[in-house]
Amino acid sequence: MKLDPQDLAQITTTTLGNYNAVAEGFREGTRDHDVSQNINALLRNIQGQAPFQILDFGCGPGRDLQTLTAMGHIATGLDGSERFAEMARADSGCEVLHQNFLELDLPAERFDGIFANASLFHVPRQELPRVLRELRAALKPGGVLFSSNPRGDNQEGWKGERYGSFHDLESWTALLTDAGFVEVEHYYRPAGLPRDQQPWLASVWRKA
């Protein structure tokens, strides 16, 4: 499926419009989600001395920015939703970049780690190679990318007013490898359940 610039613009506008419209409810509904397993997977694989420079890619209302800051790290948020960016700045006090995922403007080699928790699946498949290369360029040498996405059978499309691209491990591995990353580890969430009850694929990658 080839998406033209008009399709991509509609995907961005509609998806972000939905997040803006439900921002308050989204913040309340996700405030208590425990993603400590994911944060720890990122941090334990970063080499060097803390505090680390962390980009929370798709930071939403800023929950994880607050957690990373409380742990002593220097966290920067990024979100395409204007409402989420405003909330994240107010709630965390961190720098938050208002950028949509298809039009990134990131500093080169600034971050020790990138935390992409439930965000990269909104990037259409044809755009992912470019976006992943842009994230790689924003990492310091040897830097680490964490991603957690709803897994699927390599299909993409609309779910309500949000667009998603859903990959299996083999497809996701190929995309990250081609973009210049080496796998460190992967696991499925929630922990301790049968695989068919683990809808999330989490993985950690090092900049090669």
Side-chain angles (χ1 to χ4, degrees):
M1 179 174 61
K2 175 66 175 175
L3 300 169
D4 62 27
Q6 187 174 357
D7 295 327
L8 296 173
Q10 182 191 6
I11 286 169
T12 296
T13 300
T14 304
T15 300
L16 292 178
N18 177 261
Y19 277 123
N20 282 327
V22 303
E24 294 290 348
F26 187 94
R27 175 164 61 179
E28 293 309 310
T30 59
R31 189 187 299 276
D32 297 325
H33 283 190
D34 181 8
V35 296
S36 57
Q37 180 186 18
N38 295 345
I39 290 174
N40 292 336
L42 170 72
L43 295 177
R44 70 169 173 261
N45 286 299
I46 296 177
Q47 299 165 339
Q49 294 295 313
F52 301 129
Q53 289 270 1
I54 306 294
L55 176 66
D56 187 354
F57 181 81
C59 64
R63 176 197 65 208
D64 301 331
L65 289 173
Q66 296 177 71
T67 299
L68 289 162
T69 300
M71 296 173 78
H73 301 293
I74 303 158
T76 301
L78 183 150
D79 208 280
S81 160
E82 186 174 6
R83 287 291 296 122
F84 280 166
E86 292 169 355
M87 289 176 171
R89 290 187 193 108
D91 288 358
S92 71
C94 294
E95 176 187 9
V96 178
L97 307 173
H98 178 220
Q99 298 180 15
N100 86 63
F101 298 168
L102 302 187
E103 298 178 1
L104 297 175
D105 181 16
L106 296 173
E109 297 190 353
R110 172 174 168 181
F111 301 105
D112 298 289
I114 296 175
F115 187 63
N117 189 70
S119 54
L120 279 169
F121 76 99
H122 285 309
V123 178
R125 167 67 179 81
Q126 73 180 40
E127 302 300 306
L128 260 172
R130 174 178 62 84
V131 171
L132 291 171
R133 288 194 301 269
E134 290 171 351
L135 293 180
R136 181 184 182 278
L139 284 168
K140 296 177 183 177
V144 173
L145 168 67
F146 171 89
S147 76
S148 179
N149 295 313
R151 61 192 181 91
D153 297 319
N154 307 312
Q155 77 278 21
E156 62 184 300
W158 293 97
K159 288 202 169 182
E161 294 183 45
R162 301 176 193 168
Y163 192 91
S165 181
F166 306 96
H167 307 270
D168 61 19
L169 177 61
E170 184 179 15
S171 171
W172 192 242
T173 297
L175 283 161
L176 273 289
T177 301
D178 288 348
F181 290 93
V182 175
E183 183 183 342
V184 179
E185 63 174 293
H186 73 270
Y187 54 91
Y188 296 93
R189 278 175 53 86
L193 295 177
R195 183 58 47 80
D196 62 1
Q197 296 175 39
Q198 294 177 309
W200 294 90
L201 169 61
S203 52
V204 183
W205 304 85
R206 190 174 309 284
K207 178 177 180 175

